[in-house]
């Protein structure tokens, strides 16, 4: 059985968990706090980043891009195909939006909120910086407008078929939703509908059961109908 070194609210780790769940691949989970930079993590990955995927191979698979490709190469069910489109232009659009979620959304929103709300709890005397929280939330409003613009003319984020782009974005949304940083009452209708659909997939069940010590999820986090 493959195993994953992860943190429950790390979006990159959540993406790999979603992919494996979608493909019916059970995972052993080893939880770690990467910001503590413990020796056990640095020995495997000096960059102290997640996820780290252990397969049957001797060498661990380190990082989100390597893990995505390893899961696709090793575990995609032949009968149903994977989350990466076969058409070159559809695949290009999918990767554009995967990059948007993993890089742009992460760097402008999710990373700051995790650092302020989660990582700082392990720093004695540290408290969240209100100005950073405000900036991240303001950035998220702009991202939501763009996602809604896409979803107003598409069934899914990357096009007419569900793809890895949906899972990448949903991994971030689920983290932000857990921390209470999405006001679904004010969210655009198309984006609410999309998240409700992907949140209802069986692959999401393990994520909806996640709990972080001393930080319960926001109200409605596990509800499929908000």
């Amino acid at each position: 059985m493959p195993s994953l070194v992860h943190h429950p609210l790390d979006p990159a780790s959540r993406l790999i968990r979603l992919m494996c769940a979608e493909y019916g691949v059970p995972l052993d989970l080893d939880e770690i706090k990467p910001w503590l930079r413990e020796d056990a993590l640095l020995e495997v990955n000096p960059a102290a980043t997640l996820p780290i995927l252990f397969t049957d191979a001797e060498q661990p698979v380190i990082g989100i891009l390597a893990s995505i490709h390893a899961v696709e190469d090793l575990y995609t069910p032949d009968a149903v195909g994977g989350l990466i489109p076969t058409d070159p232009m559809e695949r290009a659009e999918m990767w554009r939006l995967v990059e948007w979620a993993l890089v742009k959304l992460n760097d402008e929103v999710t990373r700051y909120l995790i650092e302020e709300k989660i990582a700082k709890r392990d720093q004695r005397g540290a408290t969240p910086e209100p100005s950073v929280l405000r900036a991240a939330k303001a950035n998220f409003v702009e991202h939501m407008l763009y996602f809604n613009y896409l979803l107003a003319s598409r069934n899914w984020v990357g096009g007419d078929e569900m793809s890895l782009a949906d899972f990448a974005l949903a991994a971030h949304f689920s983290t932000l939703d857990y921390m209470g940083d999405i006001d679904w009452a004010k969210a655009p209708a198309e984006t609410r509908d999309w998240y409700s659909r992907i949140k209802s997939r069986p692959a999401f069940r393990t994520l909806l059961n996640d709990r972080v010590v001393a930080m319960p999820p926001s109200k409605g986090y596990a509800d499929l109908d908000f």
Side-chain angles (χ1 to χ4, degrees):
M1 180 186 297
S3 63
L4 188 73
V5 180
H6 81 122
H7 184 271
L9 293 184
D10 172 53
S13 300
R14 287 189 153 219
L15 173 54
I16 299 304
R17 292 172 61 194
L18 284 171
M19 292 178 69
C20 288
E22 183 75 9
Y23 293 164
V25 179
L27 275 176
D28 279 335
L29 298 176
D30 182 8
E31 183 177 334
I32 195 169
K33 296 177 179 179
W35 51 85
L36 297 182
R37 300 180 63 84
E38 295 173 335
D39 290 343
L41 173 61
L42 295 177
E43 287 175 5
V44 179
N45 180 15
T49 56
L50 299 175
I52 301 173
L53 178 66
F54 289 89
T55 66
D56 291 337
E58 181 177 347
Q59 179 179 339
V61 180
I62 298 173
I64 183 57
L65 294 181
S67 296
I68 286 171
H69 285 286
V71 171
E72 282 292 314
D73 291 342
L74 297 173
Y75 306 125
T76 302
D78 293 333
V80 299
L83 292 164
I84 297 178
T86 57
D87 179 82
M89 298 311 296
E90 292 178 3
R91 189 163 62 247
E93 176 67 351
M94 180 218 74
W95 282 120
R96 180 182 78 86
L97 293 165
V98 168
E99 181 181 0
W100 187 298
L102 298 183
V103 179
K104 186 174 176 62
L105 177 60
N106 186 68
D107 287 352
E108 295 179 1
V109 180
T110 317
R111 176 170 65 88
Y112 289 112
L113 293 173
I114 289 177
E115 288 174 355
E116 295 298 320
K117 291 189 169 186
I118 307 297
K120 279 191 173 181
R121 296 195 302 166
D122 290 312
Q123 302 173 23
R124 180 173 296 180
T127 57
E129 175 56 52
S131 63
V132 175
L133 297 178
R134 286 195 299 270
K137 291 180 179 182
N139 289 342
F140 186 58
V141 171
E142 298 302 316
H143 283 274
M144 285 285 274
L145 291 173
Y146 182 63
F147 302 141
N148 207 65
Y149 162 77
L150 293 177
L151 290 163
S153 60
R154 302 174 174 185
N155 290 330
W156 297 95
V157 172
D160 290 334
E161 302 293 332
M162 188 185 69
S163 72
L164 186 66
D166 296 282
F167 276 39
L169 184 57
H172 278 267
F173 269 40
S174 62
T175 293
L176 296 170
D177 192 26
Y178 186 102
M179 295 189 295
D181 291 305
I182 304 180
D183 185 351
W184 288 113
K186 298 180 180 178
E190 288 84 355
T191 304
R192 279 176 54 99
D193 175 70
W194 165 81
Y195 190 59
S196 179
R197 282 184 286 132
I198 199 162
K199 186 180 180 182
S200 298
R201 297 188 70 81
F204 243 82
R205 290 172 185 165
T206 57
L207 266 61
L208 297 180
N209 290 329
D210 277 348
R211 296 296 182 269
V212 174
V213 175
M215 186 180 186
S218 65
K219 183 179 179 181
Y221 169 74
D223 296 341
L224 300 183
D225 58 356
F226 298 99

